[in-house]
Amino acid sequence: MKDLAGRVAFITGGGSGLGLGMARAFIEQGIAVAIADIMPDHLASARVALGETGRCHFIQLDVTNRAAFARAADEAEALLGPVSILCNNAGVGMLGSTQTTGYVDWDWVMSVNLGGVINGIQTFLPRMRARGEGHIVNTSSIGGILPGPGGVAYLTAKAAVLGLSEAMLCDVRGEGIGVTVILLGPTASNIHKVAKQRPKLYSDSGLAAFEVEFGEKPIIAGGMDPLEGGRQVLKAIERDQLYLFTHPEFRHAVQQRFSAIMTAFGPDTGEPAATESHGFPTFNPLFAEIIANSGKN
Ligand SMILES: NC(=O)c1ccc[n+]([C@@H]2O[C@H](COP(=O)([O-])OP(=O)(O)OC[C@H]3O[C@@H](n4cnc5c(N)ncnc54)[C@H](O)[C@@H]3O)[C@@H](O)[C@H]2O)c1
């Protein structure tokens, strides 16, 4: 998407961390920003941090509440104008192994980290389609492509956000709508304060005591400045770039995962491609296009 100045963005989880970094970077470019967040204290400190720097509006929103999401969209558009950039960024940084993660933990993390993204798309995509343009940014994680120990529900949700973004782009790109998925690496934020964010509904969890301890100090010491992340997101929107890897040092680990996956096929025996043998498109046509266009921006 070009000509970003004067447009309107809606950022979930915009009161803190990467969301606030995106808000600051967008405002620098003359984009008006609606900042939606569940935590009143995050909204209050974002209001102070952004001050009079640009056009912004603050909305308290739980992204799992679909009716409230629609109302927040109406409110943002009535005050700032049509939203052409949606950042589905709200997330909770719940850690827990497969053995320690219970139903309440799964339900909470999936409803926010995946459900919140789905609700954002369901709310704003019809509005963007009616106007024939828009860009949707979904915050996954480097963990969404590098699943490992100790965060099974979080990593599952983030992997789903990656798959959702890749699938969605095939569906919407003919309609003038772009998609970016952020494979975000370590970033300075409040993500460790997960205990503060756990709703009462999901409090019957064996992870709760650990979360209190975990919230005492940031585990991501030396993480990226969120403003730098926000500026990277802006460039990705301008370039209409699907994948945004913020931390190049993860290249080797991602390469290793894909090499491990490919070894499972065994040696290439020259069989015909699946489209020919199955007679319908079985793979994402964007992959070939992305490879062909790489280096052109
Ligand atoms: N910080 C990192 O290193 C890192 C790495 C990979 C991915 N991420 C992802 O980046 C995104 C931003 O997180 P962050 O690190 O800036 O953390 P953060 O806690 O500083 O910001 C997340 C914001 O989301 C809000 N939020 C939580 N639940 C919500 C809900 N139900 N409805 C609306 N808002 C809600 C929080 O109040 C908070 O302001 C998240 O999706 C997170 O999973 C972070």
Side-chain angles (χ1 to χ4, degrees):
M1 174 179 272
K2 302 288 178 212
D3 305 322
L4 299 186
R7 292 186 184 271
V8 178
F10 187 102
I11 306 174
T12 69
S16 171
L18 179 69
L20 184 54
M22 288 196 274
R24 291 172 62 201
F26 289 7
I27 288 169
E28 280 177 354
Q29 286 298 305
I31 299 170
V33 176
I35 292 168
D37 203 292
I38 196 171
M39 303 287 284
D41 56 333
H42 289 185
L43 287 170
S45 48
R47 197 187 284 271
V48 171
L50 295 173
E52 302 295 315
T53 53
R55 285 178 72 216
C56 36
H57 180 61
F58 300 85
I59 303 172
Q60 191 179 2
L61 170 69
D62 176 352
V63 292
T64 69
N65 182 332
R66 293 171 178 166
F69 217 135
R71 285 194 299 273
D74 288 343
E75 185 178 319
E77 295 201 321
L79 280 162
L80 299 174
V83 168
S84 51
I85 302 169
L86 166 66
C87 300
N88 288 310
N89 168 75
V92 289
M94 200 186 69
L95 294 181
S97 67
T98 312
Q99 296 89 327
T100 56
T101 301
Y103 279 128
V104 290
D105 306 310
W106 277 104
D107 288 349
W108 180 33
V109 86
M110 295 307 282
S111 68
V112 178
N113 292 13
L114 176 60
V117 175
I118 294 169
N119 294 344
I121 293 165
Q122 290 286 110
T123 304
F124 278 104
L125 184 59
R127 298 169 192 238
M128 291 178 174
R129 291 184 66 211
R131 294 191 286 265
E133 63 158 23
H135 198 101
I136 298 178
V137 178
N138 297 326
T139 306
S140 175
S141 164
I142 191 66
I145 202 163
L146 284 176
V152 69
Y154 180 83
L155 297 171
T156 300
K158 292 301 185 183
V161 169
L162 171 59
L164 180 162
S165 305
E166 291 169 306
M168 176 171 70
L169 182 55
C170 302
D171 295 335
V172 301
R173 72 190 190 119
E175 302 186 329
I177 293 160
V179 178
T180 294
V181 58
I182 315 173
L183 291 310
L184 185 70
T187 301
S189 77
N190 286 307
I191 197 164
H192 55 292
K193 296 186 183 157
V194 63
K196 219 175 70 163
Q197 294 172 20
R198 187 181 271 275
K200 272 206 177 67
L201 178 65
Y202 302 113
S203 61
D204 183 18
S205 162
L207 296 177
F210 161 70
E211 284 171 358
V212 172
E213 187 192 324
F214 172 65
E216 292 301 311
K217 61 178 168 70
I219 48 157
I220 308 174
M224 176 178 67
D225 177 348
L227 177 58
E228 158 61 17
R231 289 179 179 149
Q232 290 194 31
V233 173
L234 262 182
K235 277 197 193 129
I237 297 171
E238 276 172 336
R239 292 175 180 162
D240 212 6
Q241 183 181 327
L242 174 58
Y243 304 109
L244 170 57
F245 284 94
T246 56
H247 289 60
E249 63 270 30
F250 286 94
R251 168 194 302 269
H252 302 288
V254 172
Q255 177 66 58
Q256 195 180 41
R257 179 188 180 210
F258 283 98
S259 298
I261 289 171
M262 292 314 293
T263 60
F265 277 99
D268 186 343
T269 53
E271 55 281 281
T275 12
E276 290 167 43
S277 53
H278 295 287
F280 61 92
T282 50
F283 58 86
N284 191 322
L286 298 178
F287 299 150
E289 232 178 271
I290 290 170
I291 294 165
N293 289 333
S294 68
K296 287 192 187 161
N297 273 314

